[in-house]
Amino acid sequence: MRLSRKPSHPSDDERGRADSRNAVLALPLPAPSKQSLRALDWFIFFLADVQTGFGPFIAVYLTTQKWTQVEIGLVLSIGGIVGLIGQMPGGAIIDAAKSERLVAGFAITTIGFCALAYAAMPIFPVVVTAATLHAAASCVLGPAIAAISLGLVGPLAIGERLGRNARFASLGNGVAAAVMGTAGYLLSSRSVFLVTFLLAIPTLIALSRIREEEVDAARCHGAMPRELSDKGDTNVWHLLRQRPLLIFACSVLLLQLANAAMLPLMASVVTTRSSQWATVLIAGCIIVPQAIVALMSPTVGRKAQAWGRRPLLLLGFGALAIRGLLFATVRDPYLLVLVQVFDGITAAVFAVMIPLIVADVAFGSGHFNLAQGVVGTATGIGASLSTVLGGFISDRYGSSTAFISLACVAAVGLVLILLVMPETRRSARGA
């Protein structure tokens, strides 16, 4: 419904944002080759394989090397702190880069040699250095993937592309977990890191197959057309004060605050209720969401453009709240695996929505990847606080109370999206 025009006029800031948005929408649509698009698919698939090797396998491997739990915890904490601090600098590096492919290639090479260092010399100084370098390199890879995707397909097609990215990342995680688990069982836990090093090779090959000339540097950074650029719009502080970006960062913090502790708490509950089958049930709890993400993510990307962003955000938060309530009430450990379907729905939504909404808000500023770092920092803070909050409530009041509390946090996020978060979707008509 259109309201009648009022005598008051829009501010210069509002007119500037509307002009830049319409100018971006008026640009010719990019037409990347099938080679580049398929290479991006395989790059994401193999990169997920490489990153999987640095998950829980690190703790298993270092335990077999007679490390104490304090030493293992210190290494993991150092990596977590570097990963948190490096989010915004990592995004800024990608914004400043002239070739996102080159930065991504350097980061992958670094991670490959970090894996080799774990396998070759599991002594404290080497492992701490490898953990630090791995965390720092990972801080640029997330923004690099989103930047390359945006540079290839442009802002109007980025939703569907991000859905495809999430599908291949999920498939890569699943395949890598199976391969590395098998290698660790049949050979040794050290072999996991050798496999990780070897997987860096096809990752680099796939990256090299993305044609450099098809990755538009200006689009990668979310830059507006040069003839329409405005110092106010492209100023970093102007971007960081954008209301939709700040609201969304707060909602992502609430998402992680509610979500990060749920699976570890549920794993403890399953172990106490069915210790014999705990490993199998927990594996199922990991595989089910990955399968849902692989199935749903492209659809989420398409629906985000058809329906808008807010309905899908509401769906993601709603599924998270329901999951918390079901974890609090369901007693059968086997049914808890089915509850993880809701985790898959939330993961599929936010795997696409986080970079997509950042692209909506930051496109035209030239600082798209820095804005990703802002949201990434909120993600890290929320996840760090979640495990502390969930563990404290569980120890003091019981696991059911902890799950209900986490569900309430998700409900707060849902209300924030419903009442405060604006719609950020770009229309092909410029509406």
Side-chain angles (χ1 to χ4, degrees), residues 36-44 148-149 152 161 165 210:
S36 292
L37 294 174
R38 288 173 180 168
L40 181 57
D41 290 340
W42 287 109
F43 169 62
I44 292 167
I148 292 171
S149 301
L152 276 175
R161 178 65 245 182
N165 289 357
I210 301 173

Side-chain angles (χ1 to χ4, degrees), residues 329-368:
T329 55
V330 172
R331 299 300 174 192
D332 188 332
Y334 299 95
L335 289 180
L336 290 175
V337 177
L338 296 179
V339 174
Q340 280 294 89
V341 168
F342 291 97
D343 185 27
I345 294 172
T346 301
V349 167
F350 282 92
V352 177
M353 287 297 106
I354 288 177
L356 179 57
I357 292 177
V358 173
D360 292 340
V361 175
F363 201 91
S365 70
H367 302 291
F368 163 56

